[in-house]
Amino acid sequence: MAVERTCTVAVLGGGPAGVTLAVDLARSGIPVALVTVRRPGGRIEGLSDRVAAGLEAHGLEHARAAMGAMVRRRVAWGTPPEARNSEYVTARDAFNDALLADAEQAGVTVIRLGRGGPECERLPEGAGWRVACLPQAGAPCTLEARFLVEARGRAAPKPAAWVRRGPETTALVTEAEIPDTDSFTMVEAFGDGWAWSVAAGGRAVLQIFVDSAGGLPKRGGLEALFADCVKRLSQAGREIGSAGWTMPPQARNATPYLSRPLIADDAIRIGDAALAVDPLSGHGVFEALGSALAGAATVRTMLRAPKRSALARRFFTERAELAFMRYARVGRDFYRLCDAFADRPFWRARRDWPDGVPAHEAAGSGEARIVRRPVNCHGLIVERRVCVTPDQPRGIWMIDGVEIAALCDLLRDRQGEPAGAALEAARQALGVSPGALDTAIAWLGARRLLEPGERISLRPVASE
Ligand SMILES: Cc1cc2nc3c(=O)[nH]c(=O)nc-3n(C[C@H](O)[C@H](O)[C@H](O)COP(=O)(O)OP(=O)(O)OC[C@H]3O[C@@H](n4cnc5c(N)ncnc54)[C@H](O)[C@@H]3O)c2cc1C
């Protein structure tokens, strides 16, 4: 007989997004169950410093410890290889296991499935969800939950629509054993795509990203396509690509997309289930953490302050749309850096997508406005006055604990007065330290909202 369990939030998928959200909610006293399946695939990924900092900041100690060694990355982007930044070469199976250990430590009920995914049913009259699971060990179980979180990454059921979908891209991935090679990672461009290769601890992985808009050949043809790409790589890529494979090339979808809808009254999509960025960015896991933390604040608000549900939903959706477009434009600019293949179809499609809008507006390049927007305040979504500038389209609420809109109000009241006394009065009124005020003033100065000088000179800032 099926075991019945109840929880407030059921999370599907135990990758970085699902675990980060589950841990954040559980630590605030919300009962969470996480249902996941382990699909070992020997995946290796390069994780950034920002992932390490994020895991440390949120106390995901096991996952942080499972990040691999820091390895120097070389880049040959239509140019001779040169050493660039470094990345943590991380075995994703061990990393995902460590994430689950963090979840259990935080009090999340983790259900590891055997074969077959969970079956989810929405209960009538807004009564929540029933999730039927076949665990790896023990009896079948049924979870009843008020809220469902979809965090199964690219394996999540298709959304109702794609708001945006980038050029269709497939990664052809293979592994080889290469004893006695120094550790390295390398990103390189070639006429019909780009490749990421990594060698560490006698193991090597090669991922070749190609356009798949016209479909891909079946298995035998896939190997021929892979071998053809390998021939056009640098020596390092060729060495890995032509070493004895421990697995034949596997195809993994790597198309960037933004799903719709992201959120309903009783369900949310986070991580790659919500939006997937081009792997060229190297920030997929970092974005999964950001999406999960925004998702946790959104879900907590919907459960604990239902009157602010619409505000919370707006917060989550706007964040996802802006993050997606920023990653897409930064990726486009990186493709544009490689002139060597500019006229090839793979490169042409990516140099023009998603649009021609700059990835970053320069600070101080246009008008500023004070508007009311949803912000994340200690894990709950509330409405606050924020300062919107061209480089910060979502608006800035606080800099180093100083409310920027309130500071602008105080300085406007003292326009033309001696700066020293006016700033000290503002500092006292806001109850902040001199260092924090300096940081906030520097932020206004960098956007030319406050002119340096002996008297307060604040540029007019429109206010709602
Ligand atoms: C080819 C490629 C290379 C990449 N390289 C990098 C890189 O180097 N660095 C980087 O930062 N990002 C990289 N990414 C992106 C990164 O993998 C993702 O952005 C990130 O893992 C998303 O986290 P997530 O938690 O949303 O999803 P996932 O990490 O995919 O986690 C989903 C979880 O759901 C589980 N699951 C799946 N199906 C079910 C089911 N039916 N029932 C229950 N659970 C299920 C899975 O086992 C997994 O635990 C790459 C992506 C691709 C496609």
Side-chain angles (χ1 to χ4, degrees), residues 13-18 35-39 43 45-47 92 96 113 117-118 151-155 171 196 207 209 252-254 270-273 279 282-286 288:
V35 180
T36 194
V37 68
R38 191 174 191 276
R39 295 220 172 98
R43 269 162 65 183
E45 290 183 353
L47 305 187
R92 280 296 307 266
N96 281 8
L113 299 181
R152 284 177 282 182
R154 287 179 182 264
W196 185 71
Q207 300 182 350
F209 296 82
R252 279 184 68 195
N253 188 281
I270 60 165
D272 270 14
H283 284 313
V285 171
F286 178 69

Side-chain angles (χ1 to χ4, degrees), residues 112-133:
R112 293 172 174 81
L113 299 181
R115 266 179 297 148
E119 288 191 9
C120 305
E121 179 196 352
R122 197 178 233 136
L123 300 173
E125 294 169 24
W129 294 84
R130 182 174 295 129
V131 182
C133 312

Side-chain angles (χ1 to χ4, degrees), residues 231-366:
K231 275 192 238 146
R232 288 179 283 155
L233 298 182
S234 66
Q235 193 194 340
R238 279 202 309 273
E239 202 180 318
I240 298 176
S242 47
W245 296 333
T246 48
M247 72 173 194
Q250 313 275 314
R252 279 184 68 195
N253 188 281
T255 307
Y257 58 75
L258 173 63
S259 315
R260 177 160 50 199
L262 292 178
I263 185 160
D265 286 340
D266 57 358
I268 190 170
R269 295 175 80 99
I270 60 165
D272 270 14
L275 70 92
V277 302
D278 188 330
L280 182 61
S281 77
H283 284 313
V285 171
F286 178 69
E287 166 52 27
L289 301 185
S291 163
L293 292 169
T298 301
V299 174
R300 191 163 28 241
T301 306
M302 292 172 77
L303 293 171
R304 292 196 169 152
K307 284 194 179 142
R308 295 206 299 271
S309 282
L311 188 74
R313 289 171 63 163
R314 178 179 160 204
F315 169 84
F316 186 76
T317 308
E318 286 180 357
R319 181 210 166 272
E321 286 171 356
L322 276 167
F324 182 78
M325 292 309 284
R326 194 177 57 244
Y327 282 117
R329 289 173 182 143
V330 169
R332 171 204 64 198
D333 293 350
F334 202 57
Y335 286 112
R336 284 182 180 176
L337 283 179
C338 179
D339 286 328
F341 309 113
D343 56 341
R344 306 281 300 188
F346 176 93
W347 294 88
R348 269 207 316 269
R350 286 154 184 83
R351 288 162 71 98
D352 289 339
W353 184 82
D355 54 27
V357 175
H360 304 286
E361 294 286 351
S365 59

